[in-house]
Amino acid sequence: MKSAVETLDPTKVKLTVEVEYDELKPSIDHAYKHIAEQVNIPGFRKGKVPPRIIDQRVGWGAVIEHAVNDGLSGFYRQAVTTESLRPLGQPEVEVTEIPAKAGEGQLVFTAEVEVRPEIELPDLSSIDLVVDSTEVTDEDVTERLDALRERFGTLVGVDRPAAEGDYVVIDLKATIGGEEVDSVSGVSYQIGSGNMLEGLDEALTGLSAGETTTFSAPLAGGEHEGEEAEVTVTVTTVKERDLPEADDDFAQLASEFDTLEELKADLREQVASIKTSNQAVAARDQLLEKLLEAVEIPVPQGAVEAEVHRHLESEGRLEDDEHRAEVTEDATKALQNQILLDTLAEKLQVQVGQGELVEYLVQASRQYGMEPQQFIQTLDQGGQIPAMVGEVARSKALAVALRQVEVKDTDGNAVDLTEFIGRDEDEQAAADAEAGDSAESAESAESAESAESAESAESAESAESAESAESADEAPKA
């Protein structure tokens, strides 16, 4: 088989493939066999019709069409591998030549397909990252202590105007063009949470129990979602959270510690741990951002449009042009990230071990509320395991890249992220151990197979001896 690639643009190529008759013959033989099982021809049983009879009665055209349809995808994949292409979508295939008759000619087809563009990544050692310091202040500890007190606080009614952070019980009524379209009563809401209607926080601030106000806002749900409405809100109750005193009694109530000082010391350690973890997250995000800034990444528009269509179709919003623009922007960014990280993973020769893949799949199964074995089986049946390997490789690529990047905190101190990104030496040792286990398993299997073969041979020899003895007993006596 011969193949050639023509670059149409940075994200699209035209692949021309020539398949000799001998390479196509297995597919042709399969076509004859399949057609023979389908046709009824007098004088021949199904499945036993000779190829020359099929050519006469059915026609060579039907045979070659079946053969091409049968073998085309395999030849395409083979050519993609040979040419080291990285397709990002389905190809547009055109068959330009087929064998004119049995025994001669060739199959020629072209495939236009969007591919991952070639990009040049900057030298990682030239990148410097700065993250926040892990120094824990008294304010950090106080903030965490207050959050803990919030959990043990109680709501009490107050006779004053509502302020941010207060809890209110409200009645809401929405009208459009003077007609009531929605209403709710007795809803509890914390001012400042911003999780209901746009402008509600501002409208409630300063209202006392029994007071009413009106404001305009787009509705957040229902059949009038997104439409501007006049919203009337009435406050029936204003409450504030009464926090327990921060003392030894509270420490004993909220933790395993006997004193407030011991609790504060533990909270300080928690904050330090969180800040250390945040350093790793911040360094990872910064590295990705700097790489994206340093590289121009052309995006295959067909792949973006396919993802946008899939997304909007699943939501039943194919006609929503405003939402389409938002989804298009998100899909473009996601694809740029994928292209960058796939290129980075190749450059760093990132390998995904079986243990890493299983760990990722187990974590993912929890997010979907499925048993790990069932989740993995579902992915395998859908042919999604390679995609999961890609996800692990992309995430791992950033961690491996961070090992080559200098990271400092805002105080100028070098930051050690080994706990989060690992070390090349440890990874190599783990890979060697995994390879050793695989080799040992293979050796054990081979030994078992050899033992089984030996046992079979011994059994055969015993059977043969028994058969010889039996034959001797049955032989005519002189």
Side-chain angles (χ1 to χ4, degrees):
M1 189 183 79
K2 298 178 183 178
S3 60
V5 176
E6 176 188 354
T7 300
L8 303 178
D9 63 47
T11 63
K12 194 171 189 178
V13 299
K14 181 178 181 180
L15 181 65
T16 301
V17 182
E18 299 177 3
V19 183
E20 295 298 328
Y21 187 90
D22 288 344
E23 294 175 280
L24 185 60
K25 192 173 186 305
S27 295
I28 294 174
D29 292 341
H30 179 270
Y32 276 123
K33 182 178 179 182
H34 184 268
I35 293 173
E37 293 170 348
Q38 302 299 315
V39 297
N40 289 312
I41 296 179
F44 297 95
R45 286 181 297 161
K46 276 194 173 182
K48 300 299 182 180
V49 184
R52 61 181 180 80
I53 302 299
I54 291 177
D55 287 345
Q56 292 172 3
R57 298 296 184 90
V58 180
W60 170 250
V63 175
I64 195 61
E65 181 181 358
H66 189 292
V68 169
N69 289 337
D70 179 60
L72 198 63
S73 61
F75 295 129
Y76 167 73
R77 288 193 299 269
Q78 184 180 342
V80 164
T81 301
T82 301
E83 300 295 340
S84 301
L85 299 179
R86 305 173 185 86
L88 289 176
Q90 294 299 316
E92 295 180 7
V93 177
E94 180 184 1
V95 176
T96 59
E97 183 181 338
I98 58 174
K101 60 181 180 178
E104 61 182 58
Q106 62 178 355
L107 166 66
V108 180
F109 67 90
T110 62
E112 292 189 10
V113 63
E114 289 184 320
V115 295
R116 196 180 86 201
E118 298 290 337
I119 58 175
E120 190 67 32
L121 297 177
D123 183 7
L124 293 173
S125 62
S126 66
I127 298 177
D128 297 325
L129 305 177
V130 179
V131 296
D132 291 337
S133 169
T134 57
E135 181 184 358
V136 181
T137 65
D138 292 339
E139 289 77 11
D140 293 329
V141 177
T142 299
E143 182 180 343
R144 197 156 182 82
L145 178 61
D146 288 344
L148 187 60
R149 291 169 65 204
E150 284 269 358
R151 289 171 51 192
F152 287 86
T154 56
L155 293 178
V156 295
V158 293
D159 185 16
R160 60 167 175 76
E164 184 171 350
D166 286 342
Y167 291 81
V168 292
V169 177
I170 57 176
D171 298 334
L172 287 168
K173 182 177 69 174
T175 61
I176 296 178
E179 180 182 350
E180 182 177 321
V181 295
D182 199 4
S183 66
V184 291
S185 299
V187 177
S188 179
Y189 178 73
Q190 184 182 21
I191 299 176
S193 61
N195 57 8
M196 282 190 70
L197 287 173
E198 184 181 320
L200 180 59
D201 292 330
E202 293 78 2
L204 290 172
T205 302
L207 292 185
S208 298
E211 293 185 336
T212 299
T213 190
T214 302
F215 64 100
S216 296
L219 296 182
E223 62 178 295
H224 296 282
E225 180 181 355
E227 294 183 39
E228 197 76 14
E230 287 293 312
V231 181
T232 301
V233 58
T234 300
V235 177
T236 60
T237 308
V238 179
K239 295 182 179 181
E240 67 178 5
R241 190 175 287 279
D242 185 31
L243 304 183
E245 289 294 326
D247 53 22
D248 291 347
D249 290 338
F250 174 69
Q252 294 168 19
L253 172 68
S255 70
E256 73 269 24
F257 302 107
D258 294 326
T259 67
L260 181 63
E261 289 307 311
E262 290 176 325
L263 174 59
K264 284 185 174 180
D266 182 67
L267 292 176
R268 186 175 291 275
E269 290 182 5
Q270 291 182 30
V271 174
S273 176
I274 291 172
K275 287 194 171 188
T276 301
S277 178
N278 288 344
Q279 281 186 327
V281 175
R284 182 184 186 280
D285 291 345
Q286 277 190 46
L287 177 57
L288 178 58
E289 185 178 342
K290 288 201 172 189
L291 288 173
L292 287 170
E293 290 174 353
V295 182
E296 184 176 348
I297 305 176
V299 177
Q301 289 305 309
V304 172
E305 290 169 6
E307 173 58 24
V308 171
H309 183 86
R310 184 200 64 77
H311 183 98
L312 294 178
E313 187 175 41
S314 68
E315 296 181 337
R317 302 175 67 177
L318 285 172
E319 306 304 320
D320 190 337
D321 292 337
E322 183 176 347
H323 187 50
R324 176 180 292 274
E326 296 172 357
V327 175
T328 299
E329 182 179 354
D330 292 341
T332 300
K333 290 180 180 178
L335 190 52
Q336 284 179 325
N337 287 353
Q338 178 181 324
I339 292 170
L340 175 73
L341 294 177
D342 283 342
T343 304
L344 183 63
E346 282 189 5
K347 178 180 179 180
L348 298 176
Q349 299 181 333
V350 170
Q351 300 294 323
V352 176
Q354 183 176 356
E356 294 171 314
L357 177 60
V358 171
E359 181 181 357
Y360 174 82
L361 293 176
V362 169
Q363 292 177 349
S365 70
R366 293 172 184 155
Q367 295 177 358
Y368 287 92
M370 297 175 64
E371 288 295 322
Q373 191 63 36
Q374 180 190 2
F375 180 70
I376 294 172
Q377 189 175 25
T378 301
L379 290 175
D380 188 35
Q381 291 173 348
Q384 294 299 307
I385 296 297
M388 297 300 103
V389 174
E391 287 291 332
V392 178
R394 292 180 199 115
S395 179
K396 186 175 178 180
L398 277 176
V400 175
L402 278 173
R403 299 172 193 168
Q404 303 180 27
V405 175
E406 185 176 22
V407 183
K408 292 184 177 180
D409 64 20
T410 48
D411 296 328
N413 301 314
V415 175
D416 183 8
L417 299 176
T418 304
E419 177 186 353
F420 305 98
I421 63 177
R423 297 186 305 172
D424 292 338
E425 298 84 355
D426 296 337
E427 187 173 318
Q428 185 60 50
D432 291 343
E434 188 170 312
D437 291 342
S438 299
E440 187 176 340
S441 298
E443 186 176 344
S444 299
E446 187 176 346
S447 299
E449 188 177 344
S450 299
E452 187 176 344
S453 299
E455 187 176 344
S456 299
E458 186 176 344
S459 299
E461 186 176 344
S462 299
E464 186 177 345
S465 300
E467 186 177 346
S468 298
E470 188 177 345
S471 298
D473 289 340
E474 293 179 354
K477 300 283 193 296

